[in-house]
Amino acid sequence: MKKSLLAMLIAAGAMQAGATSYEFDVTLKGYQGDATSSVSYSGQIARHALHNSLKKVVSQGDEAVMLQYLSGTEDGRKLLDPASKDGFAIKQSSIDELSKGKNLVSSAYDGVITGWPGNPTGQELLEQLVAQAAQSNQGYDPVNGYDYIQLVSKFAMGAVFYNKAVNHYLEEKLEADQHPNNEAYKAGVPYTGKEHVWDEAFGYFGAPAHGLELTPEEVVQITKQNPEYFAKADANGDGVVDLKSEMAYAHAYYAASIDASAGTNYFHTIMQAFVDGRQLISDAKGERLTDAQRSELKAYAATIATAWQQVIAEAAFKYAGSVYSDLEKIAAVEEAHGDVSKSFRNYVKHWGELKGFALALEAAGRDLGNAQAGLDRLIGFSPVLFGDMQVVAQDGQGGFVQASSGSMQEYKLNMIKVQNLLAQSFDLKAKLKDKTGGMSDVLKQIDAAGQSAEND
Amino acid sequence: MLETFVVWLADELAAASSSLVDSSKRVSLWYLLSAVLFAWLVLSLRYGALGWARLKPYLSWRVWWHRSARTDYQLWLANRLLLGVLIPKTFTQAVWVSWLYFYWQQQGFGDLQLGWSDATVVVLFSLCYFLVDDFSRFLVHWAMHKTPWLWAFHQVHHGAKVLTPFTVFRTHPIEGLLFFLRSMASQSLVISIFLVAFPNQVSLWQVFGVLITTFVFNVLGANLRHSGVALSYGSKLEKWLISPAQHQVHHSVARQHYDRNFGVTLALWDRLFGSWHPGNDDQTLRYGTGQAIDEMGMLGQWLEPFRSLFQTLQRRTKQRLKLRLRGK
């Protein structure tokens, strides 16, 4: 008797902890329709597809096409990525199949970005980067050291997905007067206000609904559309990967990729908090959330926001390390009187990723304290170029103004400082491509003991 | 504006009082207590039941509430507030360490690749860290006694007529600033060299959040150094470690004790510099400088050093003038 009671309790507990997949039934009171699932975030997935496709077209240089994906809302836009390939069939083949009338720029951060000349808003910066990409050589500007493919993509992920999720849905939309849980999100839909708010944030993260059943490495391979991992992606076994629920995008991919390399747990931490938070909303069974429930929900939101920010900072950390290595390679090639164009191209690419992620950190209205000024100054408006020049401003026509800076070798010191600043400010764990020899851990120990101003 | 100031003041005072329970601070209650237990143990072994009586100065309210001790407390809090403003926040340890770390690599110094275990590196790093820290404290302290313009500031510390553990905070803010820079410079030096030589292996051997040597030093009665409890480590050990009694000699007003025992933990430096002096359980000392500063309150402690500095400079200028005139 005791045993069976215990078994029942455990089973009940397991049901409570329940969901391993992001699937939840309808709880909306008085719902008359025939939908069984209350989960919906296809608009977010459409934006992931727009971002993936935009990245493809930036390297082709046609501004009109780029604008279709950045700011257009027209029907019939082609889905360029993710697209079906041998051994990895994709269910959808057009953006419209995901959601109609969506674009990236109108969801982008509209606050100021201090890390780019002219202090543009996040939206203005995205438009500017695309316009400049059109002037460049297939997304590459060797004169100013810009790789627009990387700048556009890394910044857009932050300014749109990260911003919308942590600055909007997981922040102001969790308040009691916003989209209450005892009402439909809007007339006719099968989900409540709070359910949909949470789903939209989850959609922006970009994880497959069955993410908790996947290892970080599997998530990475799904994004890369590796045919060997097709079965892992195709959770319902219907022979095609549904972009709406079975694909991994953007920061979910980066979280998994960092975890796969460093053994950290960012992806599952964020995923679990999303599932647990959504379970909490479902458990309210269509009633208005109490203050206690909302504060519990906010705790999940805080877990997500912190880990998400760490993922972006970890990515910036890694690319600061790559930039450092590139500068070493350039010096070595120069010393051997070799051709530096290839090394320089890599340097510009990695710098674009570093800068894009660093700008993303400031594109969600979160207070970074003095880390923001530190990152802006240490990274600068461009990489240090040959002749020890760096972009310092923009002129009235939108052209870049260069001035003499420190040397390329001195810029390496900046990369060490960037890594330190990121590691300390965001409490990083993975620290891939660490060029500081583990400095931040030692400094943490010393700081904890405090500076001694006393003797004897 | 006023609100910001009040919040800042409250924060700083709260941080100061948190030192009393923070195991990384020497004046935490744990170490204040462990010091008396340690002294009681040693003195009881040496003198039996009479040992307890020797602890009297540590436990006497007359000492803790002496005018000199009250000035110590005032200086502790006032200096904290002032140094909070004086010490530049952007000039952090990370900046120093990063620059040095990069500098060594530019000079061609790199990973030694010795294949040593993490434990070996941790022990070696902690040892070097301790040695450099202890020697740099000795050196700066030595300079403060030997250089007239530094002594002008350091006399504040020696103006204490009774010693309590809080006398460690009885310093002039300028001295506080110098010791802050010392700690930055010495730590940055050791950390940066080890990070280059043993990347990703460097870590301090810590106990309860403090370096093991600091922990042992504090548990074994660091607080007795500034107290009236004369406790010698015995003639053999005192040649290696500075005992509380030896530090009390350093504070003695007697002429034969001038400029003795500058060291903090190790006695080695004093022996090398010829300033070593043994301590004794039975020593009876008077503390202070015998100068006007001994009697001054908190403001006097802040201002008097500038007056003596001015005097010293004036005297020097006159001397130089005289010499020049004589030369003509």
Side-chain angles (χ1 to χ4, degrees):
Chain A
M1 179 63 196
K2 256 186 185 171
K3 257 188 185 171
S4 59
L5 203 67
L6 200 66
M8 265 168 67
L9 276 173
I10 290 171
M15 266 165 70
Q16 196 71 37
T20 55
S21 189
Y22 200 88
E23 286 165 14
F24 299 92
D25 296 341
V26 174
T27 66
L28 178 63
K29 291 203 167 152
Y31 174 67
Q32 303 291 333
D34 49 11
T36 53
S37 167
S38 61
V39 174
S40 166
Y41 48 86
S42 54
Q44 283 61 47
I45 297 301
R47 290 189 184 89
H48 279 298
L50 288 171
H51 162 252
N52 281 22
S53 301
L54 176 62
K55 194 178 174 191
K56 291 262 170 203
V57 298
V58 170
S59 62
Q60 293 160 6
D62 186 338
E63 188 172 4
V65 182
M66 287 185 234
L67 287 176
Q68 277 182 10
Y69 292 98
L70 179 69
S71 50
T73 52
E74 61 267 42
D75 286 354
R77 285 172 290 179
K78 280 184 199 149
L79 174 57
L80 303 175
D81 183 69
S84 284
K85 63 180 213 180
D86 264 355
F88 209 102
I90 300 284
K91 186 174 175 185
Q92 294 86 353
S93 57
S94 73
I95 303 280
D96 296 344
E97 285 173 73
L98 297 167
S99 180
K100 288 191 176 185
K102 298 289 186 290
N103 74 12
L104 289 172
V105 79
S106 60
S107 299
Y109 181 60
D110 58 2
V112 72
I113 300 295
T114 57
W116 197 258
N119 284 345
T121 66
Q123 299 186 349
E124 288 165 350
L125 179 52
L126 268 180
E127 284 164 343
Q128 221 183 86
L129 289 173
V130 162
Q132 276 148 355
Q135 311 286 317
S136 69
N137 179 12
Q138 296 180 323
Y140 177 46
D141 170 7
V143 177
N144 295 303
Y146 293 137
D147 180 331
Y148 289 107
I149 306 161
Q150 298 305 335
L151 283 167
V152 167
S153 167
K154 269 55 182 186
F155 179 64
M157 286 194 284
V160 180
F161 310 146
Y162 169 61
N163 165 54
K164 265 291 182 186
V166 308
N167 190 27
H168 189 67
Y169 294 118
L170 299 182
E171 174 96 25
E172 56 200 67
K173 295 288 174 189
L174 295 187
E175 294 310 318
D177 55 346
Q178 302 264 340
H179 301 295
N181 199 47
N182 55 344
E183 291 170 19
Y185 184 82
K186 60 183 181 194
V189 296
Y191 38 79
T192 71
K194 282 286 177 281
E195 282 176 342
H196 193 54
V197 162
W198 198 259
D199 288 351
E200 294 197 276
F202 176 68
Y204 276 129
F205 180 52
H210 60 302
L212 283 179
E213 295 160 20
L214 299 167
T215 66
E217 179 59 26
E218 286 164 355
V219 175
V220 168
Q221 295 305 328
I222 288 172
T223 302
K224 291 183 173 170
Q225 293 182 251
N226 181 342
E228 287 174 32
Y229 289 80
F230 179 79
K232 287 286 176 190
D234 184 15
N236 63 3
D238 64 355
V240 283
V241 167
D242 187 345
L243 292 185
K244 286 185 181 174
S245 59
E246 295 173 335
M247 181 41 88
Y249 311 86
H251 293 129
Y253 162 78
Y254 279 94
S257 155
I258 290 161
D259 291 346
S261 302
T264 43
N265 199 31
Y266 290 117
F267 178 78
H268 283 137
T269 301
I270 296 173
M271 186 74 205
Q272 188 73 56
F274 267 122
V275 169
D276 291 348
R278 187 61 166 77
Q279 184 72 53
L280 183 146
I281 301 173
S282 276
D283 291 345
K285 301 201 181 340
E287 299 284 352
R288 197 182 176 88
L289 296 186
T290 64
D291 284 351
Q293 284 169 324
R294 277 194 313 104
S295 60
E296 207 183 324
L297 198 58
K298 280 183 179 176
Y300 288 125
T303 302
I304 294 165
T306 303
W308 196 327
Q309 187 179 48
Q310 283 174 316
V311 166
I312 299 176
E314 291 275 14
F317 184 99
K318 179 181 147 187
Y319 288 113
S322 302
V323 167
Y324 184 100
S325 304
D326 293 333
L327 286 164
E328 274 183 330
K329 271 177 220 150
I330 289 175
V333 175
E334 268 188 323
E335 202 160 306
H337 301 291
D339 177 11
V340 292
S341 63
K342 202 174 155 225
S343 316
F344 185 74
R345 180 70 188 87
N346 282 332
Y347 170 51
V348 169
K349 175 176 184 280
H350 291 140
W351 187 87
E353 303 194 70
L354 163 66
K355 185 68 179 177
F357 280 117
L359 291 175
L361 284 172
E362 52 188 73
R366 303 187 79 195
D367 183 9
L368 305 186
N370 72 355
Q372 181 154 341
L375 288 173
D376 287 350
R377 287 171 198 170
L378 291 168
I379 300 170
F381 290 148
S382 81
V384 170
L385 306 159
F386 289 117
D388 302 339
M389 302 292 277
Q390 200 171 16
V391 170
V392 292
Q394 236 174 346
D395 62 24
Q397 274 75 47
F400 293 106
V401 180
Q402 295 184 7
S404 65
S405 60
S407 70
M408 274 184 166
Q409 293 314 299
E410 281 164 8
Y411 194 54
K412 274 163 58 183
L413 172 59
N414 286 20
M415 293 303 110
I416 292 175
K417 289 181 180 170
V418 164
Q419 287 199 324
N420 243 327
L421 184 64
L422 288 166
Q424 288 193 308
S425 306
F426 302 102
D427 193 21
L428 300 188
K429 307 279 185 284
K431 289 182 277 188
L432 298 168
K433 300 208 173 161
D434 185 357
K435 296 294 168 191
T436 73
M439 194 181 296
S440 60
D441 289 338
V442 189
L443 290 175
K444 211 164 150 188
Q445 282 188 317
I446 307 276
D447 282 352
Q451 286 301 334
S452 157
E454 296 100 35
N455 197 36
D456 274 292
Chain B
M1 179 64 202
L2 183 69
E3 196 190 344
T4 326
F5 175 72
V6 170
V7 169
W8 168 76
L9 192 68
D11 278 354
E12 287 288 337
L13 291 178
S17 50
S18 77
S19 296
L20 298 176
V21 287
D22 180 350
S23 68
S24 72
K25 300 284 180 288
R26 191 201 284 187
V27 292
S28 86
L29 293 170
W30 311 115
Y31 298 136
L32 289 173
L33 195 68
S34 75
V36 79
L37 286 175
F38 173 71
W40 183 38
L41 187 77
V42 174
L43 293 172
S44 299
L45 282 174
R46 283 182 191 163
Y47 309 104
L50 294 174
W52 181 254
R54 290 173 176 255
L55 287 175
K56 226 173 113 191
Y58 197 81
L59 304 168
S60 154
W61 276 106
R62 279 196 171 172
V63 172
W64 286 88
W65 204 243
H66 191 278
R67 210 167 73 91
S68 164
R70 277 178 289 165
T71 306
D72 295 356
Y73 309 139
Q74 289 167 3
L75 273 171
W76 173 34
L77 295 174
N79 283 352
R80 238 193 116 90
L81 297 177
L82 190 69
L83 284 175
V85 180
L86 279 185
I87 291 177
K89 295 270 187 270
T90 47
F91 209 44
T92 59
Q93 185 102 52
V95 174
W96 288 58
V97 177
S98 312
W99 188 84
L100 279 171
Y101 173 78
F102 184 71
Y103 178 79
W104 302 133
Q105 287 177 312
Q106 293 302 96
Q107 302 308 308
F109 176 44
D111 188 346
L112 292 181
Q113 298 179 323
L114 295 175
W116 289 356
S117 72
D118 286 358
T120 313
V121 174
V122 167
V123 169
L124 187 68
F125 172 62
S126 301
L127 183 70
C128 288
Y129 183 91
F130 163 71
L131 287 175
V132 171
D133 192 63
D134 200 57
F135 177 67
S136 68
R137 281 176 194 268
F138 170 86
L139 198 65
V140 177
H141 190 192
W142 179 85
M144 299 214 106
H145 280 258
K146 298 290 184 183
T147 320
W149 75 269
L150 287 175
W151 170 254
F153 296 104
H154 188 54
Q155 61 172 323
V156 171
H157 182 60
H158 282 272
K161 293 177 78 175
V162 298
L163 300 182
T164 80
F166 288 83
T167 306
V168 75
F169 299 117
R170 184 196 184 100
T171 51
H172 193 273
I174 297 287
E175 179 175 338
L177 204 59
L178 284 173
F179 269 99
F180 171 78
L181 292 174
R182 172 214 68 82
S183 125
M184 278 276 202
S186 65
Q187 292 176 1
S188 304
L189 183 74
V190 185
I191 295 172
S192 62
I193 291 176
F194 268 81
L195 282 173
V196 178
F198 305 98
N200 299 315
Q201 286 192 292
V202 184
S203 180
L204 275 180
W205 184 2
Q206 290 186 317
V207 183
F208 297 117
V210 284
L211 184 64
I212 178 139
T213 49
T214 312
F215 179 76
V216 172
F217 179 62
N218 284 345
V219 167
L220 298 188
N223 280 316
L224 297 170
R225 299 157 61 80
H226 292 125
S227 81
V229 182
L231 181 81
S232 159
Y233 285 164
S235 55
K236 272 185 196 146
L237 197 56
E238 279 190 346
K239 290 203 163 145
W240 298 100
L241 296 173
I242 296 282
S243 71
Q246 281 177 294
H247 192 68
Q248 289 149 10
V249 166
H250 175 73
H251 274 272
S252 163
V253 79
R255 187 162 285 276
Q256 70 271 24
H257 293 150
Y258 279 9
D259 292 352
R260 302 284 101 185
N261 299 345
F262 296 113
V264 179
T265 311
L266 294 181
L268 180 69
W269 320 120
D270 277 302
R271 281 161 64 198
L272 285 173
F273 279 67
S275 51
W276 183 85
H277 192 286
N280 189 313
D281 286 357
D282 297 318
Q283 64 193 19
T284 45
L285 304 170
R286 262 189 342 108
Y287 306 123
T289 63
Q291 306 285 315
I293 194 145
D294 296 8
E295 308 299 334
M296 291 181 180
M298 201 215 83
L299 267 185
Q301 305 292 334
W302 268 9
L303 299 177
E304 172 65 14
F306 291 108
R307 204 191 59 81
S308 16
L309 181 63
F310 182 69
Q311 243 178 4
T312 312
L313 289 175
Q314 221 175 17
R315 213 180 308 129
R316 288 221 168 163
T317 325
K318 273 186 195 159
Q319 270 173 354
R320 259 184 220 159
L321 265 175
K322 261 187 211 162
L323 282 175
R324 213 177 281 172
L325 286 174
R326 226 180 273 164
K328 268 188 180 176

